[in-house]
């Protein structure tokens, strides 16, 4: 019974037409994907250097143009990273040489199954090596745009403030400072911080420290003059059970508020003196301020007080 059903299906002309169509399409796809085609690619050259050497000069970009041939199905799945030639300049034939001519051969390219290398160029490269060195540099900020009128940069700091670079000694001797990318000063106000990228020095100079090529820019941008002033603000002393005597119990505060219509009472301003626990004798304590939102401190009179701890 089953055999008769199969026989009837194959005797059906409509089925045979559909079946023939799908077979033809499959054969066409197979022939198309199997037909040899050409493909052009560019891959970089990876150099393995001796531990004490760096690249000083190269005759041209360390890149090779490849002319590949193979079935389309093989070329589509190729990964260019695996075609990248690796040249080990630590081999004995290069020992002690600073000026090296590299000659590429077809055997330097690892071709996958079904892919052939028709042509590649250039075939030679010249490389000049130099002793590797390292150097510690100061990081200097670069500013763009002026601070908004009526404000000034009171304090700025880069964290970290130094960088360590590595590269050919011939190039290092001409580098004295590492710059940041331009920092826009027209906008930030008060105290704050943000990350700033470093201006890198090219592919021959390696940044060893910091690990990420950026620094933290800390700033204090304040108004040039105050528009509010408070007198005889009491100092809040923070202490344990210590007996002490301070030369000041009140301070004067000069500040700037961006909203003159909003009036802050003196009770909203806190001035704190934190006396270190366990410390005895005469000490100077720097006062801290806690101000309402929208108010910036310009000056404390005095900014420090003398305390005698018994």
């Amino acid at each position: 019974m089953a055999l008769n059903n199969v026989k009837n299906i194959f005797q059906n002309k409509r089925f045979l037409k559909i079946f023939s169509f799908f077979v033809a399409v499959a054969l066409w796809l197979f022939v198309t994907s199997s037909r040899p085609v050409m493909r052009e690619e560019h891959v970089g050259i990876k150099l393995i250097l001796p531990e004490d050497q760096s690249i000083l000069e190269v005759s041209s970009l360390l890149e090779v143009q490849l002319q590949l041939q193979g079935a389309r199905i093989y070329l589509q799945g190729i990964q260019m990273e695996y075609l990248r030639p690796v040249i080990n300049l630590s081999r004995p034939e290069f020992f002690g040489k600073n000026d090296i001519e590299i000659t590429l051969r077809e055997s330097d390219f690892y071709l996958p199954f079904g892919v052939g290398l028709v042509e590649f160029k250039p075939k030679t490269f010249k490389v000049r090596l130099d002793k590797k060195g390292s150097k510690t540099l100061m990081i200097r900020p670069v500013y763009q745009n002026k601070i908004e009128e009526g404000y000034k940069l009171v304090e700025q700091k880069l964290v970290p403030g130094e960088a360590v670079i590595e590269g050919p000694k011939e190039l290092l001797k001409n580098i004295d400072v590492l710059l940041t990318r331009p920092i826009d000063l027209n906008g930030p106000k008060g105290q704050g911080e943000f990350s700033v990228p470093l201006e890198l020095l090219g592919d021959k100079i390696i940044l060893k420290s910091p690990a990420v090529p950026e620094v933290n820019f800390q700033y204090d941008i304040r108004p040039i003059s105050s528009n509010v002033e408070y007198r005889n603000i009491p100092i809040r002393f923070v202490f344990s059970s210590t007996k002490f005597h301070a030369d000041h119990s009140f301070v004067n505060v000069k500040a700037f508020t961006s909203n003159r219509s909003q009036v802050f009472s003196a009770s909203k301003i806190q001035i704190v003196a934190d006396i270190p626990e366990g410390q005895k004798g005469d000490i100077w304590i720097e006062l801290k301020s806690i101000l309402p939102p929208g108010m910036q401190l310009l000056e404390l009179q005095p900014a420090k007080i003398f305390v005698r701890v018994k």
Side-chain angles (χ1 to χ4, degrees):
M1 183 71 177
L3 184 61
N4 290 333
N5 289 337
V6 174
K7 186 177 179 180
N8 290 334
I9 291 174
F10 277 97
Q11 287 178 346
N12 188 307
K13 291 183 179 181
R14 186 177 180 183
F15 170 79
L16 290 175
K17 287 181 180 180
I18 297 174
F19 180 75
S20 300
F21 172 77
F22 281 109
V23 170
V25 170
L27 288 172
W28 179 79
L29 291 173
F30 175 76
V31 171
T32 303
S33 62
S34 301
R35 185 168 48 194
V37 294
M38 303 290 288
R39 177 174 167 181
E40 184 179 292
E41 291 289 348
H42 293 79
V43 296
I45 301 174
K46 181 179 180 180
L47 299 181
I48 299 177
L49 303 177
E51 290 186 1
D52 62 341
Q53 298 286 312
S54 289
I55 296 177
L56 181 60
E57 292 179 20
V58 291
S59 58
S60 61
L61 184 66
L62 292 174
E63 186 178 270
V64 186
Q65 178 183 326
L66 305 178
Q67 196 74 28
L68 304 174
Q69 184 180 41
R72 189 187 304 273
I73 191 171
Y74 293 127
L75 288 176
Q76 286 178 343
I78 195 171
Q79 297 186 35
M80 290 300 111
E81 183 65 24
Y82 294 125
L83 287 180
R84 189 180 182 188
V86 179
I87 308 299
N88 188 355
L89 297 183
S90 299
R91 294 202 303 257
E93 60 263 36
F94 300 121
F95 182 75
K97 294 181 180 179
N98 289 332
D99 293 298
I100 298 174
E101 183 172 276
I102 300 171
T103 301
L104 294 178
R105 299 176 178 83
E106 188 171 341
S107 59
D108 293 321
F109 301 92
Y110 298 96
L111 301 172
F113 176 78
V115 177
L117 181 60
V118 178
E119 182 61 55
F120 65 92
K121 59 182 180 180
K123 292 181 170 59
T124 60
F125 296 86
K126 291 182 179 179
V127 178
R128 174 169 291 179
L129 303 181
D130 188 21
K131 285 289 186 183
K132 182 192 294 184
S134 64
K135 196 172 186 179
T136 301
L137 304 174
M138 293 292 296
I139 302 176
R140 181 183 300 167
V142 175
Y143 300 122
Q144 71 175 10
N145 300 326
K146 293 182 178 180
I147 299 176
E148 187 176 324
E149 187 175 353
Y151 288 81
K152 63 180 178 179
L153 182 62
V154 177
E155 187 177 356
Q156 63 84 20
K157 184 180 181 181
L158 294 177
V159 181
E162 293 183 335
V164 178
I165 59 173
E166 189 178 88
K169 287 187 175 182
E170 184 68 22
L171 296 181
L172 292 182
K173 67 182 183 181
N174 298 319
I175 303 173
D176 297 318
V177 67
L178 187 61
L179 303 177
T180 67
R181 294 282 181 87
I183 301 171
D184 190 355
L185 293 179
N186 187 8
K189 295 182 181 68
Q191 294 179 328
E193 58 183 53
F194 54 83
S195 296
V196 180
L198 294 173
E199 196 70 65
L200 300 181
L201 301 170
D203 56 355
K204 297 183 181 68
I205 302 297
I206 300 173
L207 180 67
K208 302 296 289 185
S209 174
V212 179
E214 63 181 31
V215 292
N216 188 259
F217 176 67
Q218 301 175 357
Y219 62 88
D220 187 357
I221 297 178
R222 301 186 187 181
I224 295 175
S225 58
S226 62
N227 57 7
V228 291
E229 185 172 347
Y230 298 87
R231 294 185 174 275
N232 298 322
I233 302 295
I235 300 173
R236 180 166 65 88
F237 292 92
V238 179
F239 57 96
S240 56
S241 58
T242 307
K243 294 182 179 180
F244 65 90
H245 173 75
D247 63 345
H248 286 80
S249 298
F250 299 88
V251 296
N252 297 333
V253 177
K254 290 184 177 181
F256 179 89
T257 176
S258 54
N259 187 359
R260 289 297 304 272
S261 61
Q262 185 176 8
V263 179
F264 296 101
S265 66
S267 62
K268 298 291 184 181
I269 299 172
Q270 297 185 49
I271 307 300
V272 180
D274 193 354
I275 300 176
E277 186 175 356
Q279 190 163 343
K280 302 290 185 179
D282 298 339
I283 55 175
W284 285 95
I285 296 178
E286 189 168 348
L287 299 177
K288 300 176 183 178
S289 62
I290 303 174
L291 304 180
M295 181 180 291
Q296 298 178 47
L297 177 69
L298 295 187
E299 186 180 354
L300 285 179
Q301 298 175 338
K304 294 180 180 181
I305 59 172
F306 176 79
V307 177
R308 176 166 290 171
V309 184
K310 300 179 180 178

